[in-house]
Amino acid sequence: MSSLAAARADNFYYPPEWSPKKGGLNKFHGQHALRERARKLDQGILIIRFEMPFNIWCGGCNSMIGKGVRFNAEKKQVGNYYSTKIWSFTMKSPCCKQEIVIQTDPKNTEYVIISGAQRKTEDYDVEDAETLLLPADEERDKLADPMYKLEHQEEDLKKKKEAEPVLVRLQRLSDSRHSDDYALNRALRDRLRSQKKRVAEEKRSARKMGLGVRLLPPSAEDATAAASVKFASKFEKSRRDKRAAIKAASIFPESSSSTSKNKLDLALKRRNIKAGAASALMASRVKPSSWQSAGSGSSRTQMPIMATRK
């Protein structure tokens, strides 16, 4: 950017036709110093950047708008609380363009939602949050009474005496822990080093098992959950049947085609032997006694008899 452009951007450029009699640059150009933010200034409205003071629910789409979200809001005065002005801020919701109106409450020193949204209720316990419980408005008003104030101070002194030993022990414990910075740093580094070694060992064991994520160390809860799992009875039965079939089967591989082929060859041999014996009997070449003995015997005994007769 040139020096002339930079001067114009910073509104420090004075054109040749300008003279001090014509006033400032804004008056010379016929514009307000706040530019677009002051376009509704004649209506008493100034556009500012408003930051949401708490979490709210949008009235249009019921979406949550978080604390700290900033808006271009129209700021205007709507009243007074004694001498303090009450301001109103009007803005558009970013989710559904719902108009949200928020006003200041000087009496209670907070913001109040007028329309377009609802404040998110967030309750918490004082002890859990570890904060102090502020006195209610009625108690604050009662503190103006000297007698009540005296009683209140007495109760505070009693609470202080009761909590003093605990506070002293906590202070001593804190001092003893933070007395040696080198020892604390060394203990912390040792703990981190052992943790890194454990994580590396878990990753290494996970890679051995073919897993892409590391397994956490076993716990009693995991063992209890695994023991409580019960599978169906059909699964157990089918598993037992499969194991029994595997144990009963031969350890040598035997194809089904070779087994069927061997059975077929044996059946053909038996048929040929019986056919040869019958033809020999019809030709009166074999006596019936020899046929009976041949028929009662096995195929191994028939083969030698036929050979001798032939």
Side-chain angles (χ1 to χ4, degrees), residues 7-298:
R8 287 179 177 177
D10 296 335
N11 203 18
F12 292 139
Y13 173 71
Y14 293 86
E17 58 271 13
W18 176 84
S19 64
K21 298 180 181 179
K22 296 182 180 180
L25 288 176
N26 292 321
K27 184 178 181 181
F28 176 76
H29 291 295
Q31 63 186 7
H32 197 273
L34 298 178
R35 307 296 176 85
E36 291 297 325
R37 293 172 54 191
R39 63 178 181 269
K40 296 183 179 180
L41 201 60
D42 55 342
Q43 305 174 16
I45 299 174
L46 177 65
I47 299 176
I48 64 168
R49 290 291 287 175
F50 180 79
E51 186 172 332
M52 191 62 63
F54 38 69
N55 298 329
I56 64 172
W57 297 105
C58 177
C61 59
N62 202 26
S63 299
M64 195 192 80
I65 300 176
K67 176 182 177 181
V69 179
R70 296 182 178 180
F71 300 88
N72 291 329
E74 297 180 355
K75 174 186 175 182
K76 64 179 179 179
Q77 183 181 354
V78 294
N80 290 289
Y81 176 73
Y82 295 106
S83 61
T84 305
K85 297 179 180 180
I86 299 176
W87 299 100
S88 174
F89 306 94
T90 305
M91 64 208 78
K92 297 288 186 180
S93 173
C95 46
C96 62
K97 304 304 178 182
Q98 171 78 8
E99 188 177 84
I100 302 173
V101 180
I102 298 178
Q103 289 185 6
T104 58
D105 186 6
K107 181 180 179 181
N108 300 316
T109 62
E110 64 177 359
Y111 290 91
V112 180
I113 299 176
I114 303 301
S115 62
Q118 183 180 1
R119 184 171 181 175
K120 183 180 179 182
T121 305
E122 296 177 345
D123 297 332
Y124 62 92
D125 191 6
V126 177
E127 295 181 358
D128 295 340
E130 297 182 356
T131 57
L132 297 176
L133 180 62
L134 298 177
D137 297 338
E138 295 81 3
E139 293 184 2
R140 283 202 295 256
D141 296 338
K142 290 179 181 179
L143 289 176
D145 186 3
M147 297 301 296
Y148 183 81
K149 187 176 181 180
L150 182 60
E151 294 176 358
H152 196 270
Q153 289 179 352
E154 290 294 333
E155 292 179 0
D156 290 343
L157 290 175
K158 290 181 181 179
K159 291 180 180 179
K160 179 184 177 181
K161 290 180 180 179
E162 293 176 357
E164 188 173 4
V166 180
L167 295 176
V168 171
R169 287 199 301 269
L170 292 176
Q171 184 65 35
R172 290 177 180 175
L173 180 61
S174 178
D175 295 340
S176 63
R177 286 182 175 178
H178 298 85
S179 58
D180 191 355
D181 297 338
Y182 174 76
L184 289 174
N185 190 9
R186 181 179 179 182
L188 179 61
R189 292 176 65 86
D190 291 342
R191 186 164 62 251
L192 292 177
R193 193 178 294 107
S194 61
Q195 183 179 359
K196 288 181 179 180
K197 289 182 179 179
R198 187 179 68 255
V199 171
E201 184 64 26
E202 291 175 356
K203 289 182 179 180
R204 194 180 302 108
S205 60
R207 284 196 299 267
K208 288 182 180 179
M209 291 185 288
L211 300 177
V213 295
R214 65 186 183 91
L215 297 178
L216 296 177
S219 61
E221 296 179 358
D222 297 339
T224 305
S228 62
V229 176
K230 294 183 180 180
F231 297 97
S233 58
K234 293 183 179 179
F235 174 79
E236 295 290 340
K237 183 179 179 182
S238 61
R239 187 174 66 175
R240 288 196 300 268
D241 295 344
K242 288 181 180 179
R243 287 186 177 180
I246 291 172
K247 291 180 180 180
S250 176
I251 61 175
F252 300 103
E254 184 178 358
S255 60
S256 59
S257 59
S258 61
T259 305
S260 59
K261 185 176 180 181
N262 294 335
K263 291 182 179 180
L264 183 61
D265 294 343
L266 184 60
L268 290 175
K269 287 180 181 179
R270 289 179 179 176
R271 190 179 302 171
N272 293 334
I273 291 172
K274 291 183 179 180
S279 60
L281 181 62
M282 294 296 294
S284 299
R285 289 182 295 176
V286 180
K287 296 181 179 180
S289 59
S290 63
W291 163 251
Q292 292 177 358
S293 61
S296 60
S298 60

